Amino acid sequence: GSVYATGYNLNGQLGLGDTIDRLTLTEISVPAPPVTLSVQQIAASFAHTMILMSDGALYGCGYNGYGQLGIDYFPYPNPVSVPIPYGKAVQSVACGYANTIVTMSDGTVYGTGDNSSGQLGLGDQISRSALTEIPLPVGKTAQKVACGQDYAVVLMTDGSVYATGSNNSGQLGVGDTGDRLSLTAMTLPDSKTVQSVACGHSHTVVIM
């Protein structure tokens, strides 16, 4: 349950309290939880890292110029606590280039950070510095979120997939190359439902 990091650290994204690169795996001092808690998931992008604890608490470190850590200040390069909306617990976390999107235990989805391409799915291109609820299609609940460079894909519990953000290479799978500012249904092959989804820089791959 311990966490180690190595590599590029100019913005403190390794969470080691400094901005010195590392050449070998070095342990991150995750805020000491009760002994019953452990690290559940980590997600990392170009210059920020998110750490999810088993109780749904979320910590972030690294660059925060777009508010991608879900706070409105530049932290010291140690993991800092991310404010979670009241009554919510984070189930999983995904990082885009400069944004973060989380799935809550109740199937709702929240995002923060860069939104210049609509990658937060909030219907505009205004960046956020706090976790903000992303409107889901009526009757849908989220199972998993995957993030690419400037776009996001949400897998719903019924196997449908919705995407938002940059679409210059057709990575949203909606049949054109126009960007989307809100979640739009991906075109799936007839009689298929998606089991898992992954995003590259500007492409998406799904398992049926």
Side-chain angles (χ1 to χ4, degrees), residues 3 28 30 39 41-43 49-53 57-61 79:
V3 182
I28 299 174
V30 178
V39 175
Q41 185 196 348
I42 52 175
T49 301
M50 307 301 289
I51 301 170
L52 173 61
M53 306 303 291
L58 187 64
Y59 293 85
C61 57

Side-chain angles (χ1 to χ4, degrees), residues 45 64 66 76 78 97 112 136 141 153 166 186 193 204 208:
S45 185
N64 193 41
Y66 295 92
Y76 190 71
N78 278 316
Y97 179 80
T112 187
L136 299 182
T141 55
V153 176
S166 178
M186 182 178 289
T193 57
T204 303
M208 302 299 182

Side-chain angles (χ1 to χ4, degrees), residues 49-198:
T49 301
M50 307 301 289
I51 301 170
L52 173 61
M53 306 303 291
S54 59
D55 66 344
L58 187 64
Y59 293 85
C61 57
Y63 187 65
N64 193 41
Y66 295 92
Q68 56 263 56
L69 298 185
I71 55 178
D72 60 2
Y73 60 91
F74 277 86
Y76 190 71
N78 278 316
V80 296
S81 178
V82 177
I84 306 298
Y86 179 78
K88 300 288 183 176
V90 179
Q91 178 176 286
S92 63
V93 57
C95 294
Y97 179 80
N99 67 294
T100 300
I101 298 181
V102 301
T103 305
M104 300 295 183
S105 58
D106 62 0
T108 55
V109 178
Y110 285 70
T112 187
D114 184 23
N115 192 38
S116 57
S117 297
Q119 57 264 54
L120 296 184
L122 297 171
D124 56 40
Q125 295 171 285
I126 302 169
S127 297
R128 304 299 201 278
S129 59
L131 287 171
T132 305
E133 187 169 7
I134 299 172
L136 299 182
V138 175
K140 301 289 185 178
T141 55
Q143 176 179 328
K144 179 187 177 182
V145 177
C147 293
Q149 169 80 358
D150 295 312
Y151 74 104
V153 176
V154 181
L155 171 61
M156 303 297 177
T157 54
D158 63 359
S160 60
V161 179
Y162 287 73
T164 186
S166 178
N167 191 38
N168 57 305
S169 298
Q171 57 265 48
L172 302 188
V174 294
D176 57 48
T177 56
D179 293 354
R180 298 297 195 276
L181 301 183
S182 58
L183 289 170
T184 304
M186 182 178 289
T187 304
L188 301 180
D190 291 341
S191 303
K192 298 287 186 179
T193 57
V194 177
Q195 183 180 49
S196 184
V197 59

